[in-house]
Amino acid sequence: MNKKLLKLSIGLGVLAISALIVGKKTGFFEDDSHLYDEYESI
């Protein structure tokens, strides 16, 4: 049981880190609010 929990937590950690890396490479976490400023001043 303890080894299964350890493997599960390592797997979830690797999955979360890889999701963060992919999000960073695709620009998912970048602030793009400056692109929409001109449309909000109507």
Side-chain angles (χ1 to χ4, degrees):
M1 173 86 184
N2 197 10
K3 285 188 177 184
K4 188 183 283 187
L5 186 63
L6 182 66
K7 286 182 181 180
L8 180 66
S9 63
I10 289 174
L12 287 176
V14 168
L15 186 67
I17 290 172
S18 63
L20 285 173
I21 291 172
V22 168
K24 186 76 171 164
K25 282 185 184 265
T26 58
F28 184 74
F29 299 113
E30 292 179 5
D31 185 25
D32 58 351
S33 63
H34 63 279
L35 298 175
Y36 304 105
D37 286 342
E38 62 186 71
Y39 300 112
E40 293 176 1
S41 63
I42 297 175

